[in-house]
Amino acid sequence: MSCERGSGPMLHGRERELARLSGLAADVRAGGREVLTLRGEPGIGLSALLDRVALERMPVIRGHGVRQEANLELAGLHRILGIEAGADRLRTGTRVAALLAEHARNTGLLVLVDDAQWIDDSTADVLLFAARRTVGAGVGLIFAVADAPVHPRRDRLGSSTVLGGGLPRIRPGRLGEAEAGRIVDDRVAELPPRVRTHLVEIAGGNPGALVALTLALTAEQRAGRLVSPWAPLESIAVSPPPVSAGTRAVLAILAVLGAADLTEIMPVAARIGGSMANLAEAERAALITVTGTTVAFSHPLARIAAYAAAPLAVRAAAHLAVAEGSDSRKDTLGWHRATAALAPKEATAAVLAAAAGDLGAEEAADALQRAAELTPDPDRRAARLGLAAAAAREAGQRTRAVALVYESHLPAMAWSAAWAVVAGLEEVRLRVLAGQCVPARAQAERLARDCRRGELYGRLPEVLEVIAACHIGAGRYRDADTCAREGLSWAARSGDGVGAARLSAVRAWVAAVTGGDVPPGTGEDESSPGAGAAVLREEDGSPSRAEAAALREGDGSSFEVEAAALREWARSAGYAASGEWERVLERPLPDGVLAVLAAPDHVEAAVRLGDRAGAIAVSLRLEKAAALIGAPWADTLVTRSRMLIAGGSAEPPPREGHPFDRARAALSYGELLRKARRRGEARPWLTEALECFERLGAAPWAARAAAELAACGSPASTAAQATGSGDDVVARAGLTPQELRIVRLAARGAVNREIAVTLALSPRTVGFHLYRAFRKLGVSTRAELAGLVPPDHL
């Protein structure tokens, strides 16, 4: 007998079952008597469900049946409860009832029996008898029964009471693709998408099969290469199916096909001497099911065993028979012949290489590399390796691509599937440049879908960066940050350091504008983004940097230069938001489009620091760059710069351009009017700026607009709305922009975790900011904070 409390397993797709088990446990704690059977196919997760229910706040007695003891009377009772039964069944049952009632006193008791298909009739009868005799004590009895073939030495399997339909039953089904994928993600982090998809497909929704497949993954498969679509099955150590050798060969063919019609499998099986007798034997062994004319494995683990346990020669014969005897697609036909090949052969390699043009980048890289391995001619082999390198690069497998380039001694060749995305990206960038952010985003999102469909994962960071730029132009900063986060995850998968640097800079700009935490990877002490872009580490045995450069031919160094410029733009935006104008001027002004974006902050910094000549010089540079773009948003930035230089004599700014830039122009004009003592004229502009900043979530700029409104002598309610306070205490407390945002949300009743989700912070960071804000405001509770910030001023 073992009383235990296990550790909680991570379960996916079992919400209904867990709710039922939790309700059972609650009834038992309340003094009820509950009996339940969990039943399902092997590997479906019955033990995991027992692990979870064992965490309930009550004593647990747990045991399991043993196949070798299934015929021994009351052997299960001794194994589960540790007691030796006498000949008198009634006395034994009474003794067990007393034991269960003792353990259940005041708290309730769960008795969990795993592998209950192997307990004997007498044990099941005694346990059920005892459960019925513990009325009011609170005892729950759960049997977990795995479906299995009939025991060869018995007419039936286990207790008729347990296996029959007389007890309440839960039957967990197979998982959907999403839940199965999450199991793979839990066990193998950052698995390449194609490998992940194959595991989910092969496992057929069975958690046990998923676990077996993830444990058997080779280092090559974890890195993204599948020697064939059936490669995940080859590495699993299993016992062969308990049937004749001829039937095993036919099952290997079915394992290759996955499922088949009788009219398809029988001609193929005949090529290796198979017949209907082999299918009949497999059906008697419960390895397959025949529904109408469709033949399929009864369980995913049966398919895995049929393929994994087959000798290499049998697998090769099965693939060759399928290639010659079925109507396979061109790409599948090539894979079958390549998997059956035991030596280089140009005809086989050519079929597989030709099929690669219609595949996604990940699968094409596998196909071309395998075709190269089967190519006898060295020059043709090198060319196919170069194509494989190009496909691997587009799939985001940069390290693998460099190794293929090193092996081929040729640069990576063009991979045609990527050019449509490249051309589409250029068109999207032109639309963004013209200020057409909404149609540009729709087009870029289509490109992202094309990248996922074509397995062009190496292009996703670039595409997602463009989508983030569209969101920024439309003032959708949270969406922009979410996009950049996803792009960073893809860049991390592929080792794309430059792409990661660019996306980190985008996130840093959003953080600067909204007052959020600056993401890691954008600090002052960093080396240049290009340093992180190298795929290689030049350890012993790795290719040289020259070969890495050959791989990246066509990327150019401009991408790295732009990454550095993006980071400088983000830093300048952060210094401008916090009013550190000296530090803005310390940052180098980038060239090109980024000069138009960054120059207005430099102009404002120079004006505020009294350097009119410097401001004019930067403004002229801005005007030249904006003239080449010719878009309204660029003209708005030019107007704002001219207005800052003109001072009190400036003309009103146009209400054009991106929302943030319009608000900045309105704020600057309102400041100029206020300084010229034209407060009545300043208030509408400052109010417009404040409202826009608040809609965008640009907290530092909203605080600045609020301060200007207060300086204009605006009504208390207006200033309060701007600063997030209904009392001058908040306005005078000296809260930072981030503290202002957190205080406003906390005053609405949001808890730290909700605030963290809203502002993309950690709960710990929120707590730290609230602690500092409470000290500044002189309050100690959220109730006092809510009183300080009335609802009409939130």
Side-chain angles (χ1 to χ4, degrees):
M1 178 178 67
S2 64
C3 291
E4 62 177 52
R5 290 180 184 269
S7 59
M10 179 65 71
L11 299 181
H12 298 289
R14 296 292 184 231
E15 291 77 13
R16 181 181 62 85
E17 291 84 354
L18 291 173
R20 176 82 179 275
L21 292 172
S22 180
L24 179 148
D27 291 343
V28 170
R29 274 195 299 270
R33 184 190 72 239
E34 298 288 340
V35 179
L36 182 68
T37 300
L38 285 172
R39 185 160 186 177
E41 64 184 22
I44 204 65
L46 304 182
S47 297
L49 287 169
L50 290 185
D51 289 341
R52 180 59 62 87
V53 77
L55 296 176
E56 295 291 339
R57 302 184 306 276
M58 66 180 73
V60 174
I61 295 176
R62 189 164 181 180
H64 59 90
V66 176
R67 178 170 185 158
Q68 291 78 3
E69 299 176 1
N71 283 329
L72 298 178
E73 186 172 343
L74 293 175
L77 191 64
H78 180 268
R79 173 173 289 277
I80 297 167
L81 296 178
I83 64 174
E84 296 184 6
D88 190 330
R89 290 281 189 89
L90 178 61
R91 181 172 296 179
T92 300
T94 305
R95 180 183 173 192
V96 171
L99 177 66
L100 298 185
E102 176 65 24
H103 280 286
R105 183 180 300 170
N106 300 326
T107 60
L109 171 70
L110 288 175
V111 180
L112 311 178
V113 184
D114 210 348
D115 287 328
Q117 68 273 16
W118 302 120
I119 65 170
D120 53 277
D121 275 331
S122 51
T123 293
D125 292 341
V126 167
L127 288 176
L128 290 168
F129 172 87
R132 288 193 294 269
R133 291 298 186 273
T134 55
V135 177
V139 173
L141 178 58
I142 302 178
F143 296 103
V145 180
D147 296 331
V150 174
H151 194 293
R153 294 177 296 171
R154 310 176 69 211
D155 294 331
R156 58 179 170 74
L157 178 68
S159 165
S160 57
T161 307
V162 173
L163 298 179
L167 299 178
R169 177 181 297 183
I170 297 178
R171 190 174 186 93
R174 295 186 182 180
L175 301 176
E177 288 186 10
E179 292 82 8
R182 285 197 285 270
I183 289 179
V184 176
D185 295 339
D186 287 345
R187 301 189 65 84
V188 187
E190 302 294 336
L191 194 64
R194 181 181 173 228
V195 181
R196 180 183 185 270
T197 299
H198 268 324
L199 297 190
V200 170
E201 179 183 349
I202 292 169
N206 183 276
L210 282 169
V211 171
L213 288 166
T214 55
L215 288 174
L217 284 175
T218 65
E220 194 175 42
Q221 290 164 6
R222 287 172 181 263
R225 189 198 174 188
L226 294 179
V227 178
S228 78
W230 303 271
L233 297 172
E234 297 172 358
S235 308
I236 298 178
V238 292
S239 301
V243 290
S244 65
T247 300
R248 289 177 196 169
V250 173
L251 288 175
I253 291 175
L254 186 60
V256 169
L257 294 171
D261 192 89
L262 282 171
T263 58
E264 179 184 7
I265 191 173
M266 289 316 301
V268 177
R271 291 179 172 273
I272 60 170
S275 66
M276 286 294 294
N278 298 122
L279 292 181
E281 182 185 2
E283 189 177 21
R284 285 194 303 273
L287 296 173
I288 64 171
T289 59
V290 181
T291 307
T293 60
T294 301
V295 184
F297 283 99
S298 58
H299 192 283
L301 290 171
R303 180 190 179 191
I304 292 172
Y307 192 89
L312 176 60
V314 172
R315 289 204 303 265
H319 281 287
L320 191 59
V322 171
E324 295 176 348
S326 68
D327 298 327
S328 298
R329 301 191 324 268
K330 182 175 68 171
D331 58 325
T332 307
L333 176 66
W335 273 121
H336 285 310
R337 292 192 178 279
T339 307
L342 303 179
K345 188 176 182 181
E346 174 57 31
T348 301
V351 171
L352 193 56
D358 298 325
L359 303 177
E362 269 195 334
E363 189 172 0
D366 293 340
L368 288 164
Q369 186 173 352
R370 180 61 179 149
E373 293 168 351
L374 295 172
T375 303
D377 180 68
D379 293 337
R380 189 170 291 171
R381 179 177 183 274
R384 285 169 178 164
L385 285 172
L387 282 170
R393 177 179 61 182
E394 296 298 344
Q397 299 171 357
R398 290 179 171 242
T399 303
R400 177 186 178 189
V402 171
L404 289 169
V405 166
Y406 182 72
E407 186 178 356
S408 71
H409 304 290
L410 292 174
M413 300 180 185
W415 180 244
S416 57
W419 288 111
V421 174
V422 173
L425 268 176
E426 289 305 312
E427 184 178 344
V428 170
R429 286 194 177 97
L430 290 175
R431 286 192 167 192
V432 173
L433 205 59
Q436 302 171 0
C437 291
V438 174
R441 189 182 82 240
Q443 185 176 354
E445 287 172 345
R446 286 195 296 272
L447 288 176
R449 288 194 294 271
D450 292 342
C451 284
R452 293 185 176 94
R453 192 180 303 115
E455 299 173 357
L456 302 172
Y457 303 115
R459 293 282 171 183
L460 270 175
E462 192 176 358
V463 176
L464 290 168
E465 181 196 332
V466 173
I467 296 175
C470 293
H471 284 309
I472 286 176
R476 301 161 60 99
Y477 296 147
R478 183 176 299 177
D479 292 336
D481 190 67
T482 300
C483 238
R485 283 175 183 267
E486 184 188 353
L488 278 169
S489 71
W490 286 108
R493 284 177 191 250
S494 62
D496 181 3
V498 176
R502 294 173 63 95
L503 288 158
S504 293
V506 170
R507 290 199 64 212
W509 187 89
V510 171
V513 168
T514 60
D517 288 348
V518 177
T522 55
E524 288 282 357
D525 57 345
E526 272 192 290
S527 58
S528 68
V535 179
L536 308 178
R537 295 295 177 264
E538 293 199 348
E539 297 173 353
D540 292 341
S542 66
S544 67
R545 286 187 178 272
E547 285 151 344
L551 164 69
R552 291 183 2 202
E553 185 179 2
D555 289 348
S557 60
S558 62
F559 207 64
E560 296 184 17
V561 172
E562 287 182 9
L566 275 169
R567 185 176 62 180
E568 295 301 337
W569 173 50
R571 286 175 174 168
S572 294
Y575 297 141
S578 60
E580 300 177 75
W581 301 110
E582 296 89 347
R583 302 194 74 176
V584 171
L585 292 181
E586 290 173 359
R587 310 316 307 175
L589 188 63
D591 296 317
V593 176
L594 283 177
V596 180
L597 296 171
D601 285 339
H602 283 251
V603 171
E604 183 168 359
V607 168
R608 288 180 178 273
L609 296 175
D611 184 5
R612 180 179 171 80
I616 293 173
V618 175
S619 182
L620 291 173
R621 183 176 170 183
L622 166 62
E623 291 177 21
K624 290 180 181 178
L628 297 176
I629 296 174
W633 66 268
D635 294 339
T636 300
L637 297 179
V638 171
T639 301
R640 177 157 67 90
S641 296
R642 289 174 177 171
M643 183 177 60
L644 288 166
I645 294 172
S649 61
E651 296 292 325
R655 289 178 166 85
E656 294 179 335
H658 298 320
F660 179 71
D661 296 330
R662 294 200 308 269
R664 287 284 303 272
L667 173 61
S668 296
Y669 190 62
E671 286 178 333
L672 293 175
L673 292 174
R674 192 220 11 116
K675 290 177 181 177
R677 301 183 182 277
R678 297 159 61 183
R679 295 178 178 178
E681 297 176 56
R683 288 190 191 104
W685 289 98
L686 295 174
T687 301
E688 177 185 334
L690 170 62
E691 291 173 351
C692 185
F693 287 138
E694 288 190 329
R695 282 198 307 273
L696 297 175
W701 296 101
R704 185 173 300 176
E708 286 294 326
L709 273 172
C712 280
S714 61
S717 59
T718 305
Q721 188 176 11
T723 58
S725 168
D727 195 289
D728 289 341
V729 175
V730 176
R732 295 194 302 267
L735 300 182
T736 66
Q738 186 72 292
E739 289 167 354
L740 277 171
R741 299 184 72 195
I742 291 173
V743 162
R744 294 178 67 186
L745 291 170
R748 290 189 178 101
V751 298
N752 286 13
R753 187 169 297 278
E754 293 170 338
I755 297 172
V757 172
T758 301
L759 302 182
L761 304 172
S762 70
R764 180 176 295 180
T765 300
V766 171
F768 174 72
H769 282 304
L770 273 178
Y771 168 76
R772 293 179 58 184
F774 277 21
R775 291 188 62 185
K776 292 179 181 180
L777 294 169
V779 298
S780 57
T781 66
R782 288 175 184 259
E784 293 176 348
L785 181 64
L788 187 64
V789 186
D792 58 327
H793 294 141
L794 295 179

